[in-house]
């Protein structure tokens, strides 16, 4: 591995064998990066597959030529990998996490809200239909009551009483109500669909912009680090490297490194300075805020499912409400209907008095609030795999907070391996700085 890295970090290959080795290394790297780039564009950014393939192939060929021919580009590209463990890498992971939430959790919440609205629509439709049917019960009761009143009068052939029925003006065209309710439900459904599409498109476009900006900024940050490394001897130069140790030993001043151990850090050490610890804590707090926002969306998903599931179960358990209409008509004792006696005598008809009878009947009806014919989508439970992926991504994000310092140290080590002669100048500069400080003390 050391020999392969030596070939990869050399400005110019020494012979044909190193040239072919470098080409194979660059080819393997570009194939892997091209595959990851295609998967990132197609699965995460949701580009079409043919556009993703074209972009991945073009990017891979350009990357192969750049890595094979340009030595500083190989250094910048190598530093991009540890830079993924810094703030810019966290932005990429956060954008991926946001996309997962929008694509998977937000439609789930909207679907459960639709289920709740369907339950409300079903209850309104069945209850209104049942109430309309109850008017027919009133019509039937009034008709039978009128028939009971007319029975006595019909027994006299010459006497024909008026129609004793109550007249009801009923709404026969109930389809108008159903049509209005259907149109209202369709409008609500279209509004929810428009909101869902708007949210998806907005976050998808925003995610693409953030992802593209983050990738460009990764390259820019690595390039800026290399530029500062090659132009500023003081930049990121407070490590006890092997070259610094060799310079101190050659000049018989190894005690300088021992006395300055509080201000200098070994690149391979796990020790963090006070400034590095403070920065890690601040980044962890900001990441916690993002995590809380994600957890609010997850909680909304669980809440919407719980409400939708409860609404569906309770709607199915709605009992039929019995309604009883009782009509009681009481006649005082001895009350009779009689025709004027002198008219009967003139017409030589038999005279009779007809007693009135009590009327008492009960009519039953049932109010129905739910029906098996209602089209209600089943509530969608939260996707546990999405929660698992989110948890894994945030574990990686929190890990990068504390690994960011070591990622910067790795970037410095990569730059030192690509430009060894410049690293010797930096070590000599740091040694002279320590010597002057020791003399002043």
């Amino acid at each position: 591995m050391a020999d392969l890295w030596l070939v990869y970090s050399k400005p110019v290959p020494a012979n044909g064998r190193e040239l072919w080795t470098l080409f194979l290394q660059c080819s393997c790297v570009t194939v892997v990066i091209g595959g990851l780039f295609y998967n990132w564009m197609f699965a995460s950014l949701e580009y079409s597959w043919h556009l993703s393939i074209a972009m991945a192939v073009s990017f891979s060929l350009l990357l192969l030529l750049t890595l094979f021919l340009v030595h500083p580009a190989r250094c910048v590209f190598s530093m991009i990998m540890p830079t993924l463990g810094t703030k810019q890498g966290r932005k990429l992971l956060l954008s991926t996490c946001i996309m997962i939430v929008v694509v998977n959790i937000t439609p789930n919440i909207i679907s459960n809200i639709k289920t709740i609205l369907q339950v409300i629509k079903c209850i309104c439709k069945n209850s209104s239909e049942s109430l309309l049917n109850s008017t027919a019960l009133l019509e039937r009761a009034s008709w039978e009551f009128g028939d009971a009143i007319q029975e006595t009068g019909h027994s006299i052939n010459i006497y024909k009483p008026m129609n004793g029925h109550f007249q009801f003006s009923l709404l026969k065209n109930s389809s108008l109500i159903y049509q209005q309710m259907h149109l209202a439900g369709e409008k609500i459904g279209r509004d929810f669909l428009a909101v869902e599409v708007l949210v998806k498109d907005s976050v998808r476009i925003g995610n693409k912009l953030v992802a593209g900006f983050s990738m460009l900024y990764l390259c820019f940050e690595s390039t800026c680090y290399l530029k500062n490394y090659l132009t500023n001897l003081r930049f990121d130069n407070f490590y006890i490297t092997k070259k610094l140790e060799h310079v101190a030993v050659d000049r018989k001043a190894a005690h300088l490194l021992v006395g300055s151990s509080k201000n200098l850090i070994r690149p391979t050490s796990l020790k963090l300075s006070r400034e590095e610890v403070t920065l890690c804590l601040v980044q962890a707090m900001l990441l916690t805020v993002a995590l809380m926002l994600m957890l609010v969306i997850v909680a909304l998903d669980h809440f919407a499912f719980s409400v939708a599931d409860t609404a569906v179960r309770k709607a199915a358990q709605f009992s039929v409400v019995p309604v009883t209409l009782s009509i009681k008509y009481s006649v005082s004792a001895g009350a009779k209907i009689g025709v004027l006696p002198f008219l009967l005598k003139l017409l030589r008809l038999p005279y009779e008095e007809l007693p009135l009878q009590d009327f008492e009947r009960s009519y039953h009806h049932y109010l129905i609030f739910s029906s098996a014919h209602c089209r209600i989508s089943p509530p969608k439970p939260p996707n546990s795999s999405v929660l698992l992926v989110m948890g894994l991504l945030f574990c990686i994000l929190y890990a990068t907070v504390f690994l960011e310092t070591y990622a910067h140290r790795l970037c410095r080590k990569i730059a030192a391996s690509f430009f060894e002669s410049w690293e010797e100048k930096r070590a000599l500069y740091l040694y002279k700085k320590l010597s002057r400080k020791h003399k002043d003390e």
Side-chain angles (χ1 to χ4, degrees):
M1 293 298 297
D3 293 338
L4 292 176
W5 180 259
L6 182 61
V7 172
Y8 183 77
S9 60
K10 270 187 177 182
V12 179
N15 49 48
R17 179 175 174 274
E18 289 187 355
L19 181 66
W20 281 107
T21 302
L22 177 62
F23 181 78
L24 291 176
Q25 286 177 328
C26 296
S27 300
C28 293
V29 169
T30 52
V31 168
V32 174
I33 297 300
L36 293 176
F37 186 75
Y38 166 78
N39 184 73
W40 179 56
M41 291 192 64
F42 181 71
S44 181
L45 301 183
E46 295 186 342
Y47 283 101
S48 59
W49 65 270
H50 53 275
L51 179 61
S52 301
I53 290 178
M55 291 291 292
V57 171
S58 302
F59 175 75
S60 299
L61 292 176
L62 180 63
L63 182 63
L64 176 61
L65 293 176
T66 303
L67 293 181
F68 183 67
L69 298 177
V70 184
H71 175 252
R74 288 200 299 273
C75 181
V76 171
F77 177 78
S78 301
M79 286 192 294
I80 288 177
M81 297 298 107
T83 307
L84 287 173
T86 61
K87 180 171 61 177
Q88 300 307 317
R90 285 197 297 276
K91 288 182 179 179
L92 281 175
L93 290 178
L94 273 177
S95 66
T96 302
C97 195
I98 292 173
M99 196 65 186
I100 291 174
V101 169
V102 172
V103 173
N104 296 278
I105 296 182
T106 304
N108 207 41
I109 295 175
I110 295 178
S111 176
N112 288 326
I113 295 176
K114 288 181 180 178
T115 300
I116 297 172
L117 294 177
Q118 288 173 356
V119 172
I120 297 174
K121 177 183 175 183
C122 177
I123 293 174
C124 293
K125 179 181 178 182
N126 285 279
S127 60
S128 61
E129 182 178 359
S130 184
L131 287 173
L132 288 174
N133 291 336
S134 66
T135 59
L137 179 68
L138 294 174
E139 184 182 22
R140 176 189 167 194
S142 66
W143 200 265
E144 292 183 358
F145 183 58
D147 288 340
I149 294 176
Q150 287 184 319
E151 286 180 359
T152 305
H154 280 300
S155 60
I156 304 176
N157 295 329
I158 195 171
Y159 176 69
K160 300 295 182 183
M162 296 175 62
N163 188 359
H165 298 124
F166 297 95
Q167 300 297 323
F168 282 87
S169 178
L170 301 176
L171 181 61
K172 300 296 185 183
N173 189 15
S174 60
S175 62
L176 179 61
I177 294 179
Y178 303 150
Q179 182 181 5
Q180 293 297 327
M181 294 179 62
H182 178 72
L183 292 176
E186 291 293 329
K187 183 178 183 302
I188 293 174
R190 288 194 300 269
D191 292 341
F192 269 93
L193 182 60
V195 172
E196 181 179 355
V197 172
L198 178 62
V199 171
K200 279 188 176 181
D201 292 342
S202 300
V203 176
R204 187 181 293 113
I205 294 174
N207 187 62
K208 290 177 180 179
L209 293 176
V210 171
F213 176 77
S214 299
M215 287 300 298
L216 292 176
Y217 197 83
L218 279 175
C219 299
F220 175 76
E221 189 174 3
S222 299
T223 304
C224 288
Y225 184 92
L226 182 60
K227 180 252 183 186
N228 291 328
Y229 177 86
L230 294 176
T231 57
N232 189 358
L233 293 175
R234 294 174 295 178
F235 174 74
D236 199 19
N237 194 7
F238 52 87
Y239 299 100
I240 304 177
T241 60
K242 291 184 177 180
K243 291 189 178 297
L244 180 60
E245 291 178 343
H246 291 329
V247 171
V249 170
D250 292 341
R251 303 194 178 193
K252 298 180 180 180
H255 60 281
L256 294 178
L257 304 182
V258 177
S260 304
S261 59
K262 295 182 179 181
N263 300 324
L264 301 180
I265 299 176
R266 293 186 179 272
T268 57
S269 174
L270 298 179
K271 178 184 176 182
L272 295 177
S273 64
R274 181 177 300 176
E275 293 78 8
E276 291 171 340
V277 172
T278 303
L279 181 61
C280 289
L281 293 177
V282 172
Q283 295 295 332
M285 290 177 61
L286 295 177
L287 189 59
T288 303
V289 174
L291 176 61
M292 296 302 295
L293 294 177
M294 295 289 180
L295 291 179
V296 168
I297 299 177
V298 173
L300 287 176
D301 187 19
H302 283 79
F303 177 74
F305 169 72
S306 177
V307 174
D309 184 59
T310 303
V312 171
R313 287 189 290 104
K314 294 298 182 182
Q317 296 173 1
F318 274 165
S319 60
V320 177
V321 179
V323 178
T324 302
L325 176 63
S326 298
I327 299 178
K328 184 177 181 180
Y329 178 73
S330 299
V331 182
S332 61
K336 297 179 180 180
I337 295 177
V339 184
L340 294 175
F342 71 92
L343 290 178
L344 294 177
K345 290 179 180 181
L346 288 176
L347 298 174
R348 294 181 179 181
L349 294 174
Y351 175 74
E352 59 179 337
E353 290 182 349
L354 303 175
L356 292 176
Q357 298 179 354
D358 294 342
F359 180 84
E360 183 176 358
R361 290 187 186 179
S362 297
Y363 301 89
H364 300 282
H365 184 66
Y366 297 95
L367 293 179
I368 302 174
F369 294 97
S370 63
S371 173
H373 300 289
C374 292
R375 295 180 179 179
I376 300 178
S377 304
K380 292 184 179 181
N383 193 343
S384 57
S385 61
V386 174
L387 298 180
L388 181 62
V389 172
M390 283 183 57
L392 180 61
L393 287 177
F394 269 95
C395 288
I396 297 174
L397 286 170
Y398 273 104
T400 59
V401 169
F402 297 98
L403 294 177
E404 182 174 1
T405 301
Y406 306 107
H408 281 298
R409 296 179 186 179
L410 184 57
C411 288
R412 185 192 181 283
K413 191 171 182 61
I414 291 173
S417 64
F418 272 82
F419 300 93
E420 294 184 354
S421 59
W422 187 254
E423 178 63 19
E424 292 179 358
K425 294 181 180 179
R426 289 169 59 86
L428 184 59
Y429 170 82
L430 183 57
Y431 169 77
K432 292 179 179 179
K433 179 180 177 180
L434 294 175
S435 299
R436 288 195 301 269
K437 184 178 180 181
H438 180 71
K439 290 179 180 179
D440 294 339
E441 292 176 352

